[in-house]
Amino acid sequence: MCGDMAKVREIKRIAIVGAGAVGGYYGARLAQAGMDVHFLLRSDYAHVKDYGMVVESVAGDFELSEVGCAQTSEEIGPVDLVVIAWKTTSNRHYDRVIAPLLHEHSQILTLQNGLGNVEALARIFGSERIFGGLCFVCINRTGPGRMVHSASGLVRVGEYRPDGSGRLAYLVSLLKSGGIDCQGVENLEKAQWMKLVWNIPFNGLAISEGGVDTQVLLDTPGVEARIRRIMKEVQAVAWALGHRIADAFIEKQIDVTRPMGAYRPSSMIDYVEGREVEVDAIWREPVRRAHQLGVEVPEVMVLLTEIESRLDERGN
Amino acid sequence: MCGDMAKVREIKRIAIVGAGAVGGYYGARLAQAGMDVHFLLRSDYAHVKDYGMVVESVAGDFELSEVGCAQTSEEIGPVDLVVIAWKTTSNRHYDRVIAPLLHEHSQILTLQNGLGNVEALARIFGSERIFGGLCFVCINRTGPGRMVHSASGLVRVGEYRPDGSGRLAYLVSLLKSGGIDCQGVENLEKAQWMKLVWNIPFNGLAISEGGVDTQVLLDTPGVEARIRRIMKEVQAVAWALGHRIADAFIEKQIDVTRPMGAYRPSSMIDYVEGREVEVDAIWREPVRRAHQLGVEVPEVMVLLTEIESRLDERGN
């Protein structure tokens, strides 16, 4: 039995782990579509339990008056799909938090930033059940159970270990039927590096420049050239991995950022609000992989040093 | 890629989790053969660290003056094979204790009693890496790092999900080269029920008769007939699962027990020494599966009730 449809497991019960902006928004979409969604909540639990969730979205506002939520994984119990949307800085809790949500055929989809998440999940829970999703979306959590979705929404989903069955197509169609703009990708790693082409310079410079938005970055003399140099290095690492990212893709990243206006990358918001920044996932791990491949990334390393200095100053 | 040799992963680093009699003995054998073995120890840690391990064995005594041991899984870190030999009553700690021992291709072999262990491991860590081993052996831990091996030693090993690769044959040959009498089985579940044919009556009656050995059991009027009736019920459940256990196998179980003399089943030792007894794994889970299959097991249920009463009396 290999590459057969027997591996396509029906997904009914869904758990959303980490209900910040991303988890809250996508989970609420699935719940609104009538799916059996269970949010694992901490600080927002009491509020969401009593008042539900509110989504203000460019794709249509909606409210959920009743939301399935719990304070522990044990209360939720085994589900068919675990969606992980917490900050990568909490990944050390994977084992304890995820294990109670699993049955033998549970699948796990991480929507987290950067590199290393699918590998960490595969290490603990087995590689055959892991999916990664890259979110191209502007969402902010403006209060407990309250999300503002201001642009895009695409999720590009891939299998950590493609198995040739129809399970990826099934997952994509499930998310689509839940009102999520979704696309299956053949090569998850390539999709991750394509996203890093934007995240590494923009999230990073927004911090190293002192906590500024993308418009300020593009308007600051010299920064656009620096963005391009950083993107070129990320592109080179991707090429070394066999992922051919075109030069035109780099230009497109800058072109699409201009009309976004004063956009605040998530890492910059974490920085200015004094929360942990996902330095490992977005900068350190890519640098590590570059060095494993023998690819020099001096611009990214300078940026990483600047980010670390900013965080040291802040006392984090 | 399916059923190919690419799935046969070399095993170099080995962790032994739960170094009671079984873990201590088999782990010591592998270490003596020069393998890279790391014991996870709690109460025995200081003693084993300072004085090593001593094995008195019908297959040859030996000592290990230096033993790789640690007090936490994190100190050991990722290994190629995790061997689990703790009591099934600790299975709720699987996630926390096992996760730090895993890399993506780590395999897990449980040598634990009864039913439910491979399923619980597969649920958390993914079904593709789980093996079960049934130990036919008489070993006692007589002190910290001190094991007395008095008879047999065969381990029957099977894959939770046979994958058609040579990985089972490789694991069996590895254990054999470590001085362990080992046999690969095609059907792990069948092997588990074959072992339960003995364990359910003998481990159970040794408790329900008040904490007696197998010789007392066979010498007590009426008990041998009861053992046979219980074995017949276990056989019937196995048949319902498609595992054809012959009547002659039942007779053989009684025949091989007579020359064992005053043998104390592990559950009976747990009972008389006031430790937790593996009631779930050896009796409750088999009863649950019988009922799922619609097979009546009245004799086993009476035995289970008697065991529970004995444990209640003891205040456990």
Side-chain angles (χ1 to χ4, degrees):
Chain A
M1 302 241 301
C2 187
D4 57 354
M5 292 300 289
K7 286 198 179 166
V8 181
R9 303 270 173 190
E10 195 178 10
I11 294 170
K12 288 202 173 275
R13 279 195 107 216
I14 300 173
I16 310 287
V17 176
V22 168
Y25 172 70
Y26 287 113
R29 281 263 168 233
L30 299 176
Q32 191 209 15
M35 296 186 191
D36 185 15
V37 175
H38 302 259
F39 290 90
L40 179 65
L41 299 174
R42 284 185 297 186
S43 54
D44 289 3
Y45 176 78
H47 190 278
V48 171
K49 187 88 190 158
D50 290 347
Y51 304 104
M53 296 175 104
V54 178
V55 176
E56 292 174 42
S57 168
V58 288
D61 298 350
F62 64 96
E63 293 189 26
L64 299 169
S65 56
E66 290 212 13
V67 174
C69 55
Q71 289 176 291
T72 66
S73 308
E74 286 78 4
E75 286 170 67
I76 297 175
V79 298
D80 305 314
L81 178 69
V82 180
V83 179
I84 305 177
W86 67 25
K87 294 263 296 288
T88 53
T89 47
S90 295
N91 284 2
R92 64 186 176 282
H93 302 302
Y94 272 157
D95 54 351
R96 196 174 46 77
V97 178
I98 308 298
L101 298 171
L102 301 177
H103 57 63
E104 190 186 327
H105 303 295
S106 301
Q107 299 179 328
I108 302 173
L109 168 64
T110 166
L111 300 179
Q112 299 173 284
N113 281 325
L115 296 182
N117 307 303
V118 287
E119 291 82 354
L121 290 166
R123 187 181 68 70
I124 303 176
F125 304 112
S127 56
E128 320 287 330
R129 48 162 69 166
I130 312 298
F131 296 78
L134 295 312
C135 301
F136 298 85
V137 65
C138 304
I139 323 171
N140 288 290
R141 174 188 166 284
T142 57
R146 182 170 283 274
M147 266 70 60
V148 175
H149 169 219
S150 50
S152 327
L154 176 67
V155 185
R156 303 188 77 205
V157 178
E159 297 162 276
Y160 180 60
R161 289 277 174 259
D163 76 348
S165 75
R167 62 180 195 168
L168 176 60
Y170 170 70
L171 178 60
V172 167
S173 76
L174 180 97
L175 296 174
K176 278 185 175 170
S177 68
I180 296 172
D181 183 14
C182 189
Q183 188 184 73
V185 297
E186 252 181 58
N187 193 307
L188 176 60
E189 190 181 63
K190 180 176 183 182
Q192 289 172 327
W193 282 93
M194 288 171 78
K195 186 154 194 279
L196 286 170
V197 169
W198 196 95
N199 280 139
I200 288 179
F202 278 104
N203 286 43
L205 290 163
I207 294 173
S208 72
E209 291 291 315
V212 300
D213 59 48
T214 54
Q215 189 162 334
V216 173
L217 286 181
L218 291 173
D219 290 347
T220 304
V223 170
E224 187 177 322
R226 197 173 164 200
I227 289 170
R228 262 175 237 274
R229 291 197 304 273
I230 293 171
M231 286 182 170
K232 283 273 177 199
E233 288 186 357
V234 179
Q235 180 193 31
V237 184
W239 271 74
L241 287 162
H243 308 311
R244 303 184 169 209
I245 295 176
D247 290 340
F249 181 80
I250 290 182
E251 287 315 307
K252 195 182 152 204
Q253 297 308 300
I254 295 180
D255 291 346
V256 298
T257 308
R258 284 191 212 287
M260 283 163 60
Y263 179 68
R264 292 152 41 102
S266 61
S267 303
M268 174 275 219
I269 299 176
D270 288 336
Y271 168 65
V272 297
E273 295 190 356
R275 291 197 299 265
E276 271 194 282
V277 172
E278 302 179 296
V279 184
D280 266 323
I282 303 179
W283 297 279
R284 287 198 195 107
E285 185 60 27
V287 167
R288 234 174 260 139
R289 297 202 189 177
H291 289 168
Q292 278 169 5
L293 293 158
V295 178
E296 295 296 323
V297 286
E299 291 276 349
V300 179
M301 285 179 73
V302 169
L303 176 60
L304 171 56
T305 307
E306 289 174 0
I307 295 166
E308 286 168 338
S309 301
R310 285 284 181 185
L311 296 176
D312 282 347
E313 283 166 25
R314 203 187 66 175
N316 184 309
Chain B
M1 301 242 299
C2 186
D4 58 355
M5 292 300 289
K7 287 196 177 167
V8 181
R9 303 270 172 191
E10 196 179 8
I11 294 171
K12 288 202 172 276
R13 279 195 107 216
I14 300 173
I16 310 287
V17 176
V22 167
Y25 173 70
Y26 288 113
R29 281 263 167 234
L30 299 176
Q32 191 210 15
M35 296 187 190
D36 185 15
V37 175
H38 302 260
F39 290 90
L40 179 65
L41 299 173
R42 285 186 297 185
S43 54
D44 289 3
Y45 175 78
H47 191 278
V48 171
K49 188 87 191 158
D50 290 346
Y51 303 103
M53 296 175 105
V54 178
V55 176
E56 293 174 39
S57 167
V58 288
D61 300 350
F62 63 96
E63 292 190 26
L64 299 169
S65 55
E66 289 212 16
V67 173
C69 54
Q71 289 177 290
T72 67
S73 308
E74 285 79 4
E75 286 170 66
I76 297 175
V79 298
D80 305 312
L81 178 68
V82 180
V83 178
I84 305 176
W86 66 26
K87 295 264 297 287
T88 53
T89 47
S90 295
N91 284 2
R92 64 186 175 282
H93 301 303
Y94 272 157
D95 54 352
R96 197 174 45 76
V97 177
I98 308 298
L101 298 171
L102 301 178
H103 58 62
E104 190 185 327
H105 303 295
S106 301
Q107 298 180 328
I108 303 173
L109 168 65
T110 166
L111 300 179
Q112 299 175 282
N113 281 325
L115 296 182
N117 307 304
V118 286
E119 290 83 353
L121 290 166
R123 187 180 68 69
I124 302 175
F125 303 112
S127 55
E128 320 287 332
R129 47 163 69 166
I130 312 298
F131 296 78
L134 294 313
C135 302
F136 298 85
V137 65
C138 303
I139 323 170
N140 288 291
R141 174 188 166 285
T142 56
R146 180 170 284 274
M147 267 69 60
V148 175
H149 168 220
S150 50
S152 323
L154 176 67
V155 185
R156 305 187 76 204
V157 178
E159 297 161 275
Y160 180 59
R161 289 277 173 260
D163 75 348
S165 75
R167 63 180 193 167
L168 176 60
Y170 170 69
L171 179 59
V172 168
S173 77
L174 180 97
L175 296 174
K176 278 185 174 169
S177 68
I180 295 174
D181 183 15
C182 189
Q183 188 185 72
V185 297
E186 251 182 61
N187 193 307
L188 176 61
E189 190 181 65
K190 180 176 182 182
Q192 289 173 326
W193 283 93
M194 287 172 78
K195 187 155 194 278
L196 287 170
V197 169
W198 196 94
N199 280 137
I200 288 179
F202 278 104
N203 286 43
L205 290 163
I207 294 172
S208 72
E209 292 290 315
V212 299
D213 60 47
T214 54
Q215 188 162 333
V216 172
L217 286 181
L218 291 173
D219 289 349
T220 304
V223 169
E224 187 178 322
R226 198 174 161 197
I227 289 170
R228 262 176 237 275
R229 290 197 302 273
I230 293 170
M231 287 182 169
K232 284 273 177 200
E233 288 185 358
V234 179
Q235 180 193 32
V237 184
W239 272 75
L241 287 162
H243 309 311
R244 302 185 170 210
I245 295 176
D247 290 342
F249 181 79
I250 290 181
E251 287 315 308
K252 194 182 153 204
Q253 297 310 299
I254 295 179
D255 291 346
V256 298
T257 307
R258 284 191 213 287
M260 284 163 59
Y263 179 67
R264 292 153 40 103
S266 61
S267 303
M268 175 276 219
I269 298 176
D270 288 336
Y271 168 65
V272 298
E273 295 189 357
R275 292 197 300 266
E276 271 194 283
V277 172
E278 302 179 295
V279 183
D280 265 325
I282 303 180
W283 297 278
R284 287 196 196 108
E285 186 59 28
V287 166
R288 234 175 261 139
R289 297 200 189 178
H291 288 168
Q292 279 169 5
L293 293 159
V295 178
E296 296 295 325
V297 286
E299 291 276 349
V300 178
M301 287 179 72
V302 168
L303 175 61
L304 172 56
T305 308
E306 289 173 0
I307 295 166
E308 286 169 339
S309 300
R310 285 284 180 184
L311 296 175
D312 282 346
E313 283 166 24
R314 202 188 67 173
N316 184 310

